[in-house]
């Protein structure tokens, strides 16, 4: 596989001796393998700098995954005895070894005992650089995931939301996404009334009522790739203050989007949104970064923060999602997914003008 080849080139270039990869977005990116429910039993791909590799996997995946050299272990066996032999056969006994960032500590603690003379580094030092620049195929999958998010938004606002709880609406959003995609990219956020002052509010039993502003934040996963959209809608006669805030957020989001082009820094995009909001007196109420990279993970590089010096390149994808949150009143956030071409291109396109239901 081309990506694995490229990965090995980077690995040698940076003078690492091997890599230990557990299931997750990096394994999927490099090999196409996406085994589910592997948290408990050791499932590990080992690669050395010569490009030799061995897969150690639980026997229950024997019919599901395929790798040239593989050892499947049964529940009666101790996988770490197998691992010790494999480490020796791949000559991974000393040196600099990359380890999947999200590997469970329970695995890593065992593995460290077998790798006494090794220094461990996070796998992401290489994979985040590779994954940050999306190719045409990846961009088309992200576009699809974004289109599903748009569709779900239009469907959910076509329903009568008054009297439904935040939890109920979150469930309906999840149901709609699962009909069209692999699944959700994260648990949907539905935050109404005062709850909307909390950016990551957990949907509650609070029922939607006239006068509410409601933040809907959700995304779909399509063939592994994530979308992430936020729209804030008004129910009944909108509160004047929140209506004013809505316009500020909308313009801030637009000016951040307009700032996107190849060659500027990630922090310049944050600045565009932040300056707009600050100039209108709401700077203290914009309490998070402007956005985050998006791909196989819903949060990855490049982060659109005040400090990120990363130069934006063609093929990078991220969200732009400024918000204003006023305690005891409510909040507004508008989020789109954007790909860098010469300029920015929005992947999500659902209505950005205030929708009043
Ligand atoms: Co979001
Ligand atoms: Co987001």
């Amino acid at each position: 596989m081309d990506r694995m080849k490229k990965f090995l080139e980077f690995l040698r270039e940076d003078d690492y001796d091997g890599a230990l990869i557990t299931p997750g977005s990096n394994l999927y990116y490099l090999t196409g393998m996406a085994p589910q429910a592997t948290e408990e039993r050791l499932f590990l791909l080992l690669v050395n700098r010569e490009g030799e590799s061995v897969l150690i996997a639980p026997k229950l995946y024997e019919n599901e995954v395929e790798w040239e050299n593989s050892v499947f272990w049964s529940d009666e066996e101790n996988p770490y005895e197998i691992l010790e032999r494999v480490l020796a056969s791949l000559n991974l006994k000393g040196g600099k070894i990359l380890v999947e960032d999200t590997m469970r500590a329970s695995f890593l603690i065992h593995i460290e005992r077998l790798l006494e003379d090794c220094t461990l580094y996070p796998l992401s030092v290489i994979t985040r650089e590779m994954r940050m620049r999306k190719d045409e195929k990846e961009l088309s999958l992200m576009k699809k995931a974004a289109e599903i998010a748009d569709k779900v938004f239009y469907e959910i606002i076509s329903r009568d939301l008054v009297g439904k709880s935040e939890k109920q609406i979150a469930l309906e959003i999840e149901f709609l996404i699962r009909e069209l995609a692999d699944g959700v990219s994260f648990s949907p956020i539905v935050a109404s009334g005062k709850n909307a002052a909390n950016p990551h509010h957990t949907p509650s039993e609070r029922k939607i009522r006239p006068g509410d502003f409601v933040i809907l934040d959700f995304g779909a996963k399509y063939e592994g790739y994530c979308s992430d959209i936020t729209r804030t809608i008004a129910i009944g006669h909108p509160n004047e203050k929140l209506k004013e805030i809505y316009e500020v957020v909308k313009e801030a989001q637009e000016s951040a989007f307009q700032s996107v082009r190849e060659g500027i820094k990630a922090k310049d995009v944050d600045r565009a949104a932040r300056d707009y909001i600050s100039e209108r007196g709401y700077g203290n109420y914009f309490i998070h970064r402007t956005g985050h990279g998006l791909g196989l993970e819903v949060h990855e590089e490049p982060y659109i923060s005040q400090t990120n010096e990363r130069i934006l390149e063609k093929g990078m994808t991220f969200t732009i999602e400024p918000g204003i949150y006023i305690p005891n009143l409510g909040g507004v956030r508008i989020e789109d997914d954007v790909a860098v071409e010469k300029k920015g291109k929005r992947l999500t396109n659902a209505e950005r003008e205030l929708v009043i239901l």
Side-chain angles (χ1 to χ4, degrees):
M1 203 158 169
D2 284 356
R3 285 177 185 164
M4 189 51 114
K5 235 189 231 166
K6 209 166 168 194
F7 171 76
L8 285 163
E9 278 169 27
F10 286 125
L11 180 143
R12 284 189 288 262
E13 224 169 82
D14 296 339
D15 210 28
Y16 293 102
D17 295 286
L20 307 182
I21 313 171
T22 41
S25 46
N26 288 321
L27 185 73
Y28 179 68
Y29 182 78
L30 294 172
T31 71
M33 277 190 268
Q36 297 302 304
T38 54
E39 290 81 12
E40 179 205 353
R41 296 180 177 91
L42 186 71
F43 188 120
L44 188 63
L45 179 68
L46 298 94
V47 189
N48 68 13
R49 55 182 293 142
E50 280 72 44
E52 297 167 311
S53 64
V54 177
L55 177 74
I56 299 177
K59 209 169 177 58
L60 59 162
Y61 295 91
E62 200 167 1
N63 298 322
E64 188 188 323
V65 295
E66 220 175 296
W67 198 253
E68 205 183 336
N69 299 305
S70 42
V71 188
F72 292 96
W73 60 278
S74 67
D75 285 342
E76 295 74 49
E77 287 176 289
N78 177 354
Y80 296 101
E81 285 171 10
I82 298 169
L83 177 61
E84 196 167 9
R85 287 201 302 274
V86 172
L87 287 169
S89 76
L90 290 176
N91 216 4
L92 292 175
K93 282 306 218 179
K96 293 165 64 183
I97 307 286
L98 295 162
V99 176
E100 167 57 45
D101 299 32
T102 61
M103 184 187 287
R104 276 196 165 200
S106 54
F107 297 150
L108 188 62
I109 288 165
H110 275 285
I111 289 171
E112 271 193 305
R113 288 195 195 120
L114 300 174
L115 288 175
E116 268 172 52
D117 301 322
C118 293
T119 314
L120 306 181
Y121 297 85
L123 182 69
S124 63
V125 295
I126 293 180
T127 53
R128 73 164 172 242
E129 295 299 319
M130 293 179 72
R131 281 172 42 187
M132 210 180 324
R133 301 163 186 88
K134 273 77 177 171
D135 63 24
E136 286 304 319
K137 168 79 180 160
E138 292 179 289
L139 289 169
S140 74
L141 295 174
M142 295 203 52
K143 179 77 195 141
K144 181 78 190 167
E147 282 167 6
I148 291 168
D150 286 342
K151 229 184 200 163
V152 169
F153 174 72
Y154 286 117
E155 173 58 33
I156 205 77
I157 61 167
S158 75
R159 299 178 178 185
D160 188 7
L161 301 181
V162 174
K164 282 183 181 165
S165 71
E166 293 172 349
K167 256 187 178 170
Q168 213 173 328
I169 296 168
L171 188 64
E172 288 182 27
I173 290 172
E174 182 153 354
F175 193 92
L176 288 167
I177 292 172
R178 285 187 181 275
E179 281 186 316
L180 299 168
D182 310 343
V184 294
S185 47
F186 58 94
S187 276
I189 295 170
V190 177
S192 63
K194 290 176 186 174
N195 291 343
N198 174 10
H200 278 179
H201 172 68
T202 304
S204 74
E205 299 293 351
R206 185 186 184 280
K207 290 190 167 60
I208 306 303
R209 47 184 182 252
D212 282 350
F213 270 61
V214 184
I215 293 180
L216 306 169
D217 185 354
F218 56 88
K221 225 173 193 187
Y222 186 80
E223 289 186 31
Y225 287 85
C226 299
S227 59
D228 182 4
I229 191 172
T230 305
R231 291 294 183 267
T232 304
I233 57 173
I235 309 289
H237 189 70
N239 173 295
E240 283 305 317
K241 181 80 174 165
L242 285 168
K243 218 168 134 185
E244 176 200 317
I245 288 171
Y246 189 94
E247 291 307 310
V248 174
V249 172
K250 191 187 79 186
E251 290 306 321
Q253 205 254 9
E254 179 63 22
S255 82
F257 170 69
Q258 291 299 341
S259 79
V260 175
R261 67 198 71 236
E262 255 183 309
I264 67 161
K265 292 175 176 173
K267 69 175 192 181
D268 299 335
V269 179
D270 182 275
R271 175 110 328 265
R274 203 165 298 280
D275 281 353
Y276 190 90
I277 288 174
S278 297
E279 281 158 20
R280 275 139 199 95
Y282 292 104
N284 289 336
Y285 301 99
F286 177 20
I287 51 179
H288 54 70
R289 62 193 174 210
T290 293
H292 52 84
L294 193 68
L296 290 172
E297 300 275 351
V298 72
H299 291 132
E300 55 179 52
E301 292 275 359
Y303 291 96
I304 309 301
S305 70
Q306 291 181 75
T307 52
N308 194 354
E309 303 279 341
R310 169 78 61 179
I311 305 281
L312 298 182
E313 296 171 40
K314 189 173 179 295
M316 290 183 179
T317 46
F318 51 83
T319 67
I320 297 181
E321 50 177 309
I324 295 175
Y325 310 91
I326 316 271
N328 294 317
L329 177 66
V332 172
R333 178 166 69 255
I334 301 173
E335 172 178 33
D336 281 313
D337 304 342
V338 171
V340 182
E341 297 185 341
K342 269 197 180 355
K343 293 199 68 187
K345 182 184 160 206
R346 277 189 171 103
L347 303 177
T348 43
N349 282 296
E351 182 61 60
R352 272 177 296 275
E353 293 299 325
L354 181 59
V355 171
I356 305 171
L357 298 184

